[in-house]
Amino acid sequence: MFTSVDRCNNEFEKCTLPIQGGIADNNAVDYAGGKLNPLQAGAANLAVKAVEGQDMKDAIKAGQKSVKEDIDALGGAVANAAAAAIVGVDQDELLSRFKGAVINPNLQLLFKGPTLRPFSFTFTLSPRSAAEARVVRKIVRFFKFNMAIQKTSGQLFLAEPRTFKIRYVNGDFPDSDHAGLNRIKRCALQACNVEYTPAGTYSRFNDQAGTMTQYKIGLQFQEIEPIYSEEYKDHDIGF
């Protein structure tokens, strides 16, 4: 069941279509590798303490001790950094080529943030009567109209399109969500692709509107909010 809503969650139109095959969801979180070598870590530690207004004497002493312990390695690293800058190559590449080593990057997989899930639906509509032909035309219009950008009264600004609530409905319990399938948060319809001759041949009914014998609708949705763990408490499968 697709329901068009505005920013204030006011509902406008509804469209119910049969559940298609290939139902799937893809939950993901954005992680990426992060690097922080010892020189950067020491500088960052001093910067944090300076910003926080803390006494930096202990931090400087600890840094001096660390530097004394690795003074030879530090000198070599600085020399290689300068040489790399002069010849325009990567510092680690130069160290690896001549020393057979690189500065320890302390590589770690770091959490970067949430992601927004995409959902795709494809429906093939084949009307068999004049009444069904009218319904099919309304279904096509439903998605196109509600995803369209809106003009404001003064036409100085453009208002965002309506978004969609998408629910898998259990036919035996139409007022409740389908407990055996995933939930979907409110989505924006980013693309609506309508094929008017999916069979590859122009074919229409002999009605006044000239309704095509078949329509194929491809819908590309994306959720407008990320998923949080607290939202799983009321559903077995969840989002």
Side-chain angles (χ1 to χ4, degrees):
M1 179 179 290
F2 300 89
T3 305
S4 63
V5 296
D6 62 11
R7 175 178 285 271
C8 299
N9 214 28
N10 297 313
E11 297 185 358
F12 291 92
E13 299 178 285
K14 293 185 179 182
C15 177
T16 303
L17 292 168
I19 295 178
Q20 303 294 289
I23 300 173
D25 61 23
N26 181 24
N27 289 37
V29 181
D30 186 13
Y31 283 90
K35 299 178 180 180
L36 187 68
N37 66 46
L39 297 177
Q40 294 170 328
N45 185 42
L46 290 175
V48 169
K49 290 184 178 297
V51 171
E52 293 178 347
Q54 299 181 21
D55 187 356
M56 295 188 292
K57 292 181 180 179
D58 293 338
I60 293 174
K61 288 180 180 178
Q64 289 174 337
K65 180 179 179 182
S66 176
V67 168
K68 288 179 181 178
E69 291 174 353
D70 293 325
I71 189 66
D72 294 335
L74 180 63
V78 172
N80 276 279
I86 292 171
V87 299
V89 299
D90 183 73
Q91 176 185 350
D92 283 339
E93 181 180 339
L94 200 64
L95 280 170
S96 180
R97 183 179 295 273
F98 292 105
K99 301 291 186 180
V102 296
I103 295 177
N104 181 7
N106 293 309
L107 180 64
Q108 185 176 357
L109 187 65
L110 301 176
F111 170 64
K112 296 296 183 179
T115 61
L116 300 173
R117 300 186 300 174
F119 288 94
S120 300
F121 299 94
T122 301
F123 299 97
T124 301
L125 309 174
S126 304
R128 297 163 297 180
S129 65
E132 288 187 358
R134 287 192 296 272
V135 172
V136 167
R137 295 197 303 270
K138 288 182 178 179
I139 290 172
V140 174
R141 182 188 184 278
F142 165 79
F143 290 108
K144 285 188 169 185
F145 171 75
N146 285 287
M147 74 170 295
I149 300 169
Q150 304 177 54
K151 290 183 178 180
T152 59
S153 57
Q155 299 191 11
L156 178 61
F157 301 101
L158 295 176
E160 66 181 9
R162 293 172 182 171
T163 53
F164 293 82
K165 292 180 180 178
I166 304 174
R167 295 174 55 221
Y168 291 117
V169 180
N170 188 336
D172 297 327
F173 306 97
D175 294 331
S176 60
D177 292 330
H178 197 311
L181 294 174
N182 62 292
R183 285 186 178 182
I184 302 175
K185 301 190 78 171
R186 193 151 58 101
C187 289
L189 179 53
Q190 296 182 307
C192 174
N193 178 48
V194 181
E195 293 184 45
Y196 298 94
T197 56
T201 304
Y202 176 79
S203 176
R204 71 176 182 88
F205 290 107
N206 190 27
D207 60 350
Q208 186 176 1
T211 306
M212 306 302 292
T213 56
Q214 195 173 69
Y215 296 82
K216 186 175 182 180
I217 305 176
L219 306 171
Q220 302 292 329
F221 290 93
Q222 187 161 23
E223 288 180 324
I224 61 177
E225 295 179 355
I227 305 298
Y228 299 99
S229 61
E230 293 79 4
E231 296 171 316
Y232 279 83
K233 59 183 178 180
D234 298 326
H235 196 268
D236 291 341
I237 292 180
F239 292 91

